Amino acid sequence: MRIVLYYGGNTKGETPNYDLLMELLEFTEIDMQRVPNKGETITLYLGACRITAEVTHVFPHYCPAGNKYIQEGGWGESYGIQLDNAEVVDWY
């Protein structure tokens, strides 16, 4: 399932890796087997790090076929999840 990640920073406080997290998480598209639930903590392996983050919102994206304002590649279903309180747990 195609998921778009949205990240705007941590509400609990500043993180020392803010720039790296913004680069890795903001508007990144990934494939997942299922859509995580709101409030769930997920682990992501992006770049050379393992990141944990809390899911704060889940947005379904859906555009019916024939919408002249959306390119054909955007037709169908995907989801967006907003992340908060992300931190880099481990480096590889």
Side-chain angles (χ1 to χ4, degrees):
M1 187 154 299
R2 183 54 102 194
I3 307 268
V4 179
L5 304 176
Y6 300 103
Y7 175 72
N10 292 349
T11 57
K12 289 186 179 176
E14 303 228 352
T15 179
N17 300 314
Y18 177 75
D19 293 334
L20 175 64
L21 289 170
M22 284 297 289
E23 181 182 329
L24 291 174
L25 296 177
E26 187 63 17
F27 300 115
T28 300
E29 292 186 17
I30 60 172
D31 286 320
M32 297 181 83
Q33 290 185 348
R34 67 175 184 85
V35 179
N37 296 319
K38 182 178 176 180
E40 185 176 347
T41 300
I42 61 173
T43 301
L44 301 168
Y45 297 89
L46 299 171
C49 17
R50 181 175 61 159
I51 299 168
T52 61
E54 180 182 327
V55 177
T56 55
H57 291 88
V58 178
F59 308 99
H61 300 150
Y62 178 72
C63 179
N67 186 338
K68 64 181 180 181
Y69 300 106
I70 304 290
Q71 293 181 354
E72 186 174 347
W75 294 350
E77 284 189 66
S78 68
Y79 291 87
I81 58 173
Q82 184 172 353
L83 302 174
D84 192 10
N85 302 321
E87 67 175 299
V88 177
V89 177
D90 201 4
W91 299 89
Y92 298 104

